[in-house]
Amino acid sequence: MQTVPFKNKRGDVPVNLHMLSDSGANGKDMAGIHAHTFGNRAEQAAGKRIAIVCAAFLLALSLASTFPNGGMAAGQEQKPITLRTMGSLLFGGTVIERENGDTFHGDHGYAQFYIPQKARNYPLILWHGMGQSGRSWESTPDGREGFQALLTRRDWSLYIIDQPRRGRAGYTASARDDASAHPTSASERGVWNAFRNGIWVPGQKASLYPGVRFPSTSAAIDQFFRQQTFNTGQEARTTEYLTSMGNTAAALLRQTGPAVLVTHSNSGKYGWFTAMASGAVKAIVAYEPGQFVFPEGETARDIPFKNALANEMLQPIKVSSESFRKLTRMPILIIYGDNIATEPSDIFNVDVWRIASTRARYFVDAINRNGGDATLVFLPEIGIKGNTHAPFADLNNLEIAEHLEQWLHAKGLDGRDVPHRGPAPQTTTLTIPLQQDR
């Protein structure tokens, strides 16, 4: 095991991490996590207490030596992260009762949460995209701080989820369906193209778009591919499955209370169904969603295409007018990055984002025509250029975080008068045949 020294003004000294209990303004104990240096009394008196999330956070966020080109690199925020609490939970899911009396608990979601000491009112729920997990929101591929640290430091409570049948929510009775795997997750070339780092086609080397904000060091590229992860079961492209995913996320919202839902890519469609299933969604921020819902009876406008599969997979999802109107009760922000094709392409993931971003315009128009409040932003059009499919992990992710905060402020969602305190206890009925006569 390698130990990493913590560098302060007096040089490199060992760090001891332990929990302290501080009395808050309400007289209750408030858990904080602090670091103290060893040494004599003079050194201890001179040392500055540094509040941090946990030992892992210290290594990941505060030690520049962990990532030579990242961590707390130049230009990143140095303010310590102080938490009231942190933890994880599993939400939603099903219980199968077998003929032999056994049970199987599966198809739930997983959330890790971070609640700042001075939290804002509404937490943010961060939902990953296709072939990804909650890892997407943590450190960037080149080791800089991701939204996990950037937003927590700014007093946003976070719930970073792994969706059912993915990552730490992988427990399922469903069989994997590799035969019908989405082209994006079927090959690393597909992932490269989907994230718009550049173009990579069979028989040629991968390329980078000029001026792209993807951190393109050898190590970052290696980390980028290693964060991909498969489904452990089938991810059906049916309305029934979309509805079940929305209901599962609604179970999380019953514990978080009112929250802002932040989706990425393929989870965009799950975000629409979550907001239709739960009145606790205060707003939706969708980074590069792929599919959109439209009310039944509204004629879908055709979008020219070259890749037939891309066109097929991105068809509008029809829902009842009543369900669609639920999306008009909250502000919606949709954000796309740079290097989106303007002409049809044979390459699947090139055509995908041209079709998706075009249909986003129609979705925003439909929401606003029905009395809603939807905004579509193409980052290059507001002077932010070079971003990939994952702006929150790009070299300018601080700028992306600031853009998000500005919108949340404009919508009155950044208040502090009733700070979020963490998840409410889960309530459920007994899910196994437990003898209770003792």
Side-chain angles (χ1 to χ4, degrees):
M1 180 186 300
Q2 182 181 5
T3 59
V4 184
F6 175 74
K7 189 175 182 64
N8 66 8
K9 293 180 180 179
R10 292 173 291 119
D12 293 335
V13 294
V15 170
N16 180 37
L17 293 162
H18 57 277
M19 296 290 296
L20 294 180
S21 181
D22 293 333
S23 181
N26 59 3
K28 296 181 180 179
D29 283 346
M30 308 288 281
I33 303 175
H34 301 268
H36 291 275
T37 58
F38 291 114
N40 59 35
R41 293 179 180 271
E43 289 176 328
Q44 291 174 356
K48 180 180 180 181
R49 173 180 292 182
I50 301 175
I52 55 175
V53 176
C54 62
F57 253 28
L58 177 64
L59 296 178
L61 307 178
S62 299
L63 299 180
S65 57
T66 306
F67 299 104
N69 299 316
M72 299 298 285
Q76 288 217 300
E77 299 174 330
Q78 302 292 326
K79 175 186 172 184
I81 298 171
T82 306
L83 296 183
R84 177 180 181 271
T85 189
M86 61 184 290
S88 62
L89 58 88
L90 301 162
F91 57 90
T94 61
V95 180
I96 299 173
E97 296 182 10
R98 303 192 187 280
E99 291 183 1
N100 64 1
D102 199 358
T103 58
F104 187 94
H105 294 64
D107 292 336
H108 44 261
Y110 169 91
Q112 56 181 350
F113 57 86
Y114 305 95
I115 314 301
Q117 188 85 316
K118 299 179 180 179
R120 298 174 188 270
N121 295 351
Y122 301 120
L124 309 182
I125 298 174
L126 308 184
W127 195 331
H128 59 78
M130 179 175 293
Q132 303 285 303
S133 68
R135 168 70 177 82
S136 303
W137 304 99
E138 297 173 7
S139 298
T140 64
D142 60 337
R144 289 171 296 109
E145 292 185 337
F147 272 20
Q148 177 195 51
L150 295 179
L151 296 177
T152 307
R153 177 179 284 109
R154 300 177 185 201
D155 296 332
W156 292 99
S157 296
L158 298 184
Y159 291 79
I160 302 177
I161 74 173
D162 287 358
Q163 71 183 39
R165 303 179 183 178
R166 189 82 58 80
R168 286 167 288 186
Y171 201 47
T172 181
S174 169
R176 275 182 55 170
D177 185 18
D178 295 336
S180 61
H182 194 284
T184 296
S185 56
S187 73
E188 292 193 344
R189 279 196 300 266
V191 174
W192 187 262
N193 294 334
F195 274 73
R196 297 199 311 281
N197 303 327
I199 296 293
W200 190 5
V201 295
Q204 297 183 23
K205 294 181 178 180
S207 67
L208 289 164
Y209 286 121
V212 70
R213 297 293 187 101
F214 173 71
S216 55
T217 64
S218 298
I221 292 172
D222 181 76
Q223 288 286 298
F224 168 76
F225 283 115
R226 293 187 187 282
Q227 74 181 25
Q228 314 302 316
T229 186
F230 284 109
N231 286 327
T232 58
Q234 186 180 23
E235 187 174 5
R237 292 187 285 272
T238 64
T239 301
E240 180 183 9
Y241 190 74
L242 290 166
T243 301
S244 73
M245 292 288 271
N247 290 336
T248 299
L252 173 61
L253 283 152
R254 285 195 289 274
Q255 291 189 255
T256 65
V260 176
L261 182 58
V262 182
T263 64
H264 176 227
S265 191
N266 191 60
S267 66
K269 61 187 180 184
Y270 299 138
W272 315 135
F273 278 83
T274 299
M276 291 187 292
S278 173
V281 178
K282 296 295 294 183
I284 297 176
V285 178
Y287 286 100
E288 301 224 348
Q291 267 187 297
F292 299 89
V293 296
F294 289 86
E296 292 174 344
E298 181 163 319
T299 303
R301 285 182 267 186
D302 291 332
I303 300 174
F305 65 91
K306 268 193 175 181
N307 191 290
L309 184 59
N311 178 65
E312 176 188 341
M313 287 188 164
L314 297 181
Q315 285 297 304
I317 303 165
K318 291 303 180 71
V319 298
S320 69
S321 296
E322 180 184 1
S323 294
F324 186 81
R325 281 195 296 272
K326 292 179 181 179
L327 298 178
T328 66
R329 300 170 186 169
M330 69 206 66
I332 297 173
L333 174 64
I334 299 172
I335 304 164
Y336 286 94
D338 208 344
N339 296 306
I340 295 175
T342 57
E343 298 294 332
S345 171
D346 291 322
I347 301 173
F348 176 83
N349 277 308
V350 173
D351 231 17
V352 157
W353 298 118
R354 184 189 55 81
I355 295 171
S357 60
T358 301
R359 188 153 284 128
R361 296 181 189 274
Y362 304 155
F363 172 77
V364 166
D365 177 62
I367 290 289
N368 292 338
R369 275 191 286 106
N370 283 274
D373 175 12
T375 302
L376 175 61
V377 172
F378 290 89
L379 293 175
E381 295 179 3
I382 61 171
I384 304 176
K385 298 182 179 181
N387 281 108
T388 69
H389 177 53
F392 49 83
D394 285 339
L395 291 169
N396 63 332
N397 66 341
L398 270 171
E399 186 176 23
I400 301 303
E402 288 164 2
H403 175 260
L404 169 62
E405 281 202 301
Q406 288 169 6
W407 184 82
L408 292 170
H409 174 73
K411 299 303 177 182
L413 296 169
D414 61 347
R416 298 173 180 268
D417 55 313
V418 186
H420 182 70
R421 307 287 288 178
Q426 185 182 30
T427 58
T428 186
T429 57
L430 189 63
T431 56
I432 65 169
L434 180 66
Q435 184 174 338
Q436 302 185 69
D437 57 357
R438 293 184 181 181

